Amino acid sequence: MYSGAAAAAGPPRRDFISVTLGPEEAVGVGGYNNSKAWRRRSCWRKWKQLSRLQRSVILLLFAFLAVCGVISYTSMGEAWKGITNKSLDEQRTEQEIPGLKLANPAVLPAPQKADANHGDYPELSLQKPPKPPHVRRGPSNLQIKAPRRDMGLKTRHDTIRAVEEQVEADKVEKTEKSIISWRGAVIEPDQSTEPPSSKIKESEKPSSVEAEDQKEPVPINERQLAVIEAFRHAWKGYKDFAWGHDELKPLSKSYSEWFGLGLTLIDALDTMWILGLKEDFEEARKWVANDLVFDKNVDVNLFESTIRILGGLLSTYHLSGDSLFLEKAKDIGNRLMPAFKTPSKIPYSDVNIGRGTAHPPRWTSDSTVAEVTSIQLEFRELSRLTGDEKFQKAVDEVMKHVHTLSGKNDGLVPMFINTNSGQFTHLGVYTLGARADSYYEYLLKQWIQGGKKENELLEDYMRAIEGVKKHLLQRSEPKKLTFVGELAHGHFSAKMDHLVCFLPGTLALGAHNGLAADHMKLAEALIETCYQMYAQVETGLSPEIVHFNLHAQKGHKDVEIKPADRHNLLRPETVESLFYMYRFTGDKKYQDWGWEILQNFNRYTRVPTGGYTSINNVQNPSNPEPRDKMESFFLGETLKYMFLLFSDDIDLINLDKYVFNTEAHPLPIWVPA
Ligand code: DMJ
């Protein structure tokens, strides 16, 4: 049977077992007797024939095999138990994630804690899918969805691809939805626009666009798409070269800082919302959440930071319903308050928002009249939202004080006011351009914002328009364009800033709100003039300042431009007024004029690598001399008003529900509780 080392050389030693099969026992040799008795007898005989040593060795061998058998049985039992448990785990996993099969369960790492190594293999964890980056109020289509649970978890790569595919699918879904159903933002006034006396409770905050989403969507048209394209081009430049900085320098592919507060990004937030650029909005929102810090040792201009930053944050809060923007608005609002700590309560021009100190410009203790009287819409709204009346009190006091001041000329105000005495300075110069412009605009708009009850504001506004008619209106030659000039110590100057082109829009808004019908007539005449300030120029773009011809001269147009005034800063005022005019008249010529202007911006100010630039010479189409700067108001105002001008949807920022601040940030009109 078994010969052990029988093959070893030399005679067998006694220590070895030698088992030899006899010929009769060999299977297949001779006859085969398979009876049990014979086999039992035969085995016993053999056993007896063995020596004692051989028997002991065989017994020992059996004992050893028996022990091995027991040991291996125990470990097989464990293994069996393990297999049984694993298959239970698999069953549980199947229940949690239907359809999920682990390709190779034995090598999967044990489930980790949510925060352990999550950057590497989040998708391999059998825990819940990751939470979305933030949960926010506002339209559901702006919220970031968590990955679907039924994606299947095979390999890390597969899972990432699945997530990417889902994101792509969501993108397409979002884009399609935005094009067909985005309506901009309208809030229900009775939910969110009570005057400041009643503090807004958490539950009463704006419901954003939900109610409007029920309405039949108004499709976006070709011209609006062109504005979206222009915005995206401008935004690309800002994103690529100036992200988080104040202004893009599109030619040098860099940026400039003014306050170091991401001015362009904040100014553009509500434009992105209105244009339906939700992904760009989300990205910018993240910057506001993570990187916008006001605790900085930096001097900011009170007026500019109020209209662009505070105004931008407040309107974005209203449109999106996202409390992040209100929190940031409160922060900057509080930090600007030291400006009002002056002997006269007329605020200083500059505030250090980190140190909490304020001061006038180095060379004077005067502030600009337009600046101290064009921060009211924003601070009043901040009081209404927070229930803290200090903001409104400070700015109302300025208006009340200015209302009583002497030095006006039939409602027209000088350009400077002293922060110590509270009196106008540099008397005798009157303009509706730089340094005075938005004083007039905010008289009307505060009156509208407050529900048309604050009579002093209306009085001042009406008187001022009479003053404009009496002292500043003239007609040019040869086309007899009505324009608004300036008055300096009794002398009329036929100079008109492009800034004055806010006036037709404001006059039209007043007429729409029930003021004198002749305001609308004047608005129609003035918007024609503002359009001619573009149309009569070689590039089709307006210069910063024009001088009108009062006398017909052969070969001369109405508009003359001085070499120092030839620049164009991508300003919004004409487009702004075109928007109001179209809203209130429905006359398509206003849209056509705006379309021409957009095309000329594209022709002469668009920088191929991203962004638009202000130019130095609107009279030279072959070299308009790019200035290498894109002002934040191009995105905050100019393109926003373009988009609204081309829209036929009066609910896309309904002018009976919203009033725009002077930086084109819409704020709600208050209605009585
Ligand atoms: C903007 O900041 C505001 O519109 C302001 O009222 C005037 N200047 C620029 C745009 O031209």
Side-chain angles (χ1 to χ4, degrees):
M1 293 189 350
Y2 174 68
S3 118
R13 284 164 37 186
R14 288 187 61 88
D15 300 350
F16 290 87
I17 301 168
S18 170
V19 180
T20 313
L21 289 173
E24 73 276 27
E25 286 138 300
V27 176
V29 178
Y32 179 65
N33 186 345
N34 200 25
S35 91
K36 279 182 185 167
W38 181 86
R39 270 185 285 147
R40 248 194 323 264
R41 245 182 291 122
S42 166
C43 283
W44 181 243
R45 203 180 311 128
K46 290 283 177 198
W47 175 254
K48 283 285 184 196
Q49 287 169 356
L50 293 177
S51 71
R52 190 179 289 161
L53 177 66
Q54 282 174 319
R55 280 190 223 148
S56 310
V57 169
I58 289 169
L59 283 174
L60 261 172
L61 194 64
F62 274 117
F64 174 72
L65 288 173
V67 169
C68 286
V70 170
I71 291 170
S72 65
Y73 175 77
T74 320
S75 60
M76 273 176 72
E78 285 299 318
W80 176 251
K81 261 200 319 202
I83 288 166
T84 314
N85 287 347
K86 241 176 221 153
S87 69
L88 281 174
D89 282 343
E90 278 179 40
Q91 283 170 25
R92 224 175 288 133
T93 310
E94 276 272 51
Q95 281 163 12
E96 262 184 81
I97 309 173
L100 175 69
K101 275 265 181 265
L102 301 178
N104 187 358
V107 295
L108 262 185
Q112 294 169 352
K113 281 192 180 160
D115 58 350
N117 212 14
H118 67 281
D120 285 339
Y121 295 100
E123 66 283 5
L124 285 185
S125 163
L126 298 182
Q127 298 169 1
K128 287 180 185 166
K131 276 191 183 173
H134 65 271
V135 179
R136 51 188 297 281
R137 299 169 63 223
S140 57
N141 53 5
L142 248 179
Q143 292 177 5
I144 297 169
K145 289 179 194 161
R148 278 198 291 268
R149 302 192 93 200
D150 60 353
M151 290 189 304
L153 302 176
K154 286 183 183 147
T155 65
R156 181 169 183 254
H157 178 74
D158 285 347
T159 310
I160 289 171
R161 209 177 48 214
V163 172
E164 282 170 352
E165 277 166 10
Q166 193 199 343
V167 168
E168 270 314 305
D170 285 352
K171 265 190 204 166
V172 171
E173 192 188 322
K174 276 185 195 171
T175 313
E176 281 170 3
K177 206 174 170 207
S178 77
I179 287 178
I180 54 171
S181 71
W182 181 257
R183 300 184 58 84
V186 175
I187 55 172
E188 294 306 305
D190 53 344
Q191 285 178 359
S192 61
T193 54
E194 296 93 352
S197 50
S198 53
K199 181 178 176 178
I200 290 235
K201 291 181 218 108
E202 198 57 34
S203 58
E204 291 171 334
K205 284 177 184 167
S207 64
S208 188
V209 300
E210 282 122 41
E212 285 301 312
D213 275 349
Q214 319 290 320
K215 291 189 191 166
E216 203 47 44
V218 176
I220 286 177
N221 59 48
E222 292 278 313
R223 287 178 175 181
Q224 285 180 293
L225 285 173
V227 179
I228 292 174
E229 193 281 326
F231 183 96
R232 299 216 70 195
H233 183 77
W235 192 244
K236 177 192 165 1
Y238 179 73
K239 247 176 95 168
D240 288 352
F241 311 122
W243 183 253
H245 297 284
D246 283 342
E247 289 138 346
L248 169 67
K249 295 178 76 170
L251 293 174
S252 51
K253 299 190 177 71
S254 62
Y255 56 84
S256 54
E257 294 292 26
W258 188 4
F259 309 142
L261 297 173
L263 213 52
T264 295
L265 188 147
I266 300 174
D267 227 358
L269 283 168
D270 58 3
T271 307
M272 287 186 268
W273 184 276
I274 291 166
L275 268 56
L277 300 172
K278 299 183 207 81
E279 279 156 35
D280 291 322
F281 178 87
E282 271 305 322
E283 210 177 338
R285 189 237 180 239
K286 270 186 206 141
W287 184 87
V288 173
N290 301 326
D291 300 297
L292 178 59
V293 177
F294 293 128
D295 190 10
K296 275 186 171 175
N297 179 12
V298 61
D299 276 356
V300 303
N301 175 281
L302 170 68
F303 164 73
E304 297 291 358
S305 51
T306 298
I307 64 169
R308 300 185 199 213
I309 299 174
L310 179 56
L313 292 168
L314 287 174
S315 69
T316 306
Y317 164 66
H318 276 292
L319 301 183
S320 68
D322 186 338
S323 59
L324 165 72
F325 300 106
L326 179 57
E327 289 311 311
K328 293 287 179 186
K330 275 190 230 169
D331 189 7
I332 187 69
N334 275 307
R335 288 171 187 279
L336 293 173
M337 288 306 284
F340 296 91
K341 285 189 198 147
T342 68
S344 66
K345 307 278 177 56
I346 298 297
Y348 289 130
S349 60
D350 296 283
V351 190
N352 186 304
I353 53 173
R355 290 200 185 138
T357 55
H359 58 88
R362 231 172 291 140
W363 58 91
T364 175
S365 54
D366 289 352
S367 285
T368 297
V369 169
E371 292 195 354
V372 301
T373 57
S374 312
I375 49 180
Q376 279 66 16
L377 291 175
E378 300 81 357
F379 278 94
R380 283 155 52 110
E381 178 60 8
L382 188 58
S383 272
R384 195 185 66 82
L385 288 173
T386 59
D388 186 344
E389 59 183 17
K390 73 175 179 220
F391 305 111
Q392 173 152 16
K393 260 181 109 178
V395 294
D396 279 354
E397 208 159 317
V398 176
M399 292 313 295
K400 286 202 175 84
H401 179 77
V402 171
H403 174 72
T404 61
L405 275 185
S406 58
K408 292 179 199 156
N409 187 2
D410 291 318
L412 302 176
V413 290
M415 295 188 289
F416 297 99
I417 186 166
N418 190 272
T419 51
N420 293 320
S421 68
Q423 300 298 308
F424 288 130
T425 64
H426 302 81
L427 301 181
V429 180
Y430 303 100
T431 173
L432 262 81
R435 299 188 183 278
D437 49 358
S438 43
Y439 161 72
Y440 304 101
E441 180 188 349
Y442 268 38
L443 286 174
L444 177 74
K445 288 183 172 177
Q446 286 176 82
W447 177 71
I448 292 172
Q449 177 191 44
K452 305 185 196 175
K453 289 189 297 233
E454 295 154 286
N455 291 335
E456 286 182 356
L457 295 166
L458 180 61
E459 271 170 37
D460 287 350
Y461 177 72
M462 294 300 284
R463 198 169 293 144
I465 300 304
E466 290 310 305
V468 170
K469 288 193 224 163
K470 185 170 168 188
H471 299 287
L472 305 181
L473 277 193
Q474 281 283 359
R475 287 183 155 210
S476 67
E477 294 295 341
K479 286 200 164 180
K480 305 209 180 309
L481 301 173
T482 302
F483 69 93
V484 181
E486 296 183 354
L487 197 64
H489 310 292
H491 294 286
F492 180 79
S493 160
K495 163 182 179 274
M496 179 165 152
D497 293 354
H498 183 272
L499 287 169
V500 182
C501 289
F502 81 92
L503 188 59
T506 298
L507 287 167
L509 181 64
H512 174 75
N513 278 280
L515 304 187
D518 71 332
H519 285 201
M520 193 61 186
K521 285 274 156 243
L522 181 54
E524 283 168 359
L526 287 174
I527 191 61
E528 165 80 37
T529 306
C530 290
Y531 168 63
Q532 290 299 328
M533 286 165 63
Y534 286 70
Q536 294 197 8
V537 179
E538 289 80 347
T539 56
L541 292 174
S542 170
E544 179 74 357
I545 298 169
V546 297
H547 287 78
F548 287 95
N549 281 317
L550 292 174
H551 308 287
Q553 290 176 65
K554 215 174 168 221
H556 282 244
K557 298 178 192 164
D558 299 73
V559 169
E560 297 283 341
I561 305 167
K562 303 218 158 134
D565 305 330
R566 280 179 186 150
H567 50 289
N568 178 298
L569 304 184
L570 312 169
R571 284 196 192 275
E573 290 78 16
T574 296
V575 182
E576 169 186 353
S577 286
L578 287 171
F579 155 65
Y580 285 105
M581 296 307 292
Y582 180 67
R583 267 289 166 96
F584 298 137
T585 67
D587 189 336
K588 298 262 179 207
K589 80 176 176 206
Y590 299 124
Q591 288 187 324
D592 295 342
W593 292 351
W595 181 240
E596 274 176 38
I597 294 171
L598 178 63
Q599 285 172 308
N600 290 326
F601 276 134
N602 275 329
R603 215 165 272 145
Y604 298 109
T605 71
R606 187 173 162 117
V607 179
T609 45
Y612 288 74
T613 178
S614 35
I615 53 175
N616 263 333
N617 191 351
V618 292
Q619 293 182 296
N620 188 352
S622 58
N623 181 14
E625 298 169 32
R627 276 192 163 195
D628 195 18
K629 183 158 172 177
M630 184 173 79
E631 300 279 349
S632 78
F633 50 70
F634 183 62
L635 300 188
E637 297 193 71
T638 312
L639 291 179
K640 183 189 288 153
Y641 282 131
M642 285 273 188
F643 187 79
L644 296 173
L645 164 65
F646 298 141
S647 169
D648 285 311
D649 182 2
I650 61 154
D651 284 324
L652 187 59
I653 312 297
N654 187 317
L655 290 172
D656 294 323
K657 295 177 179 174
Y658 283 98
V659 61
F660 283 93
N661 85 340
T662 192
E663 190 75 8
H665 298 303
L667 299 173
I669 293 170
W670 307 339
V671 294

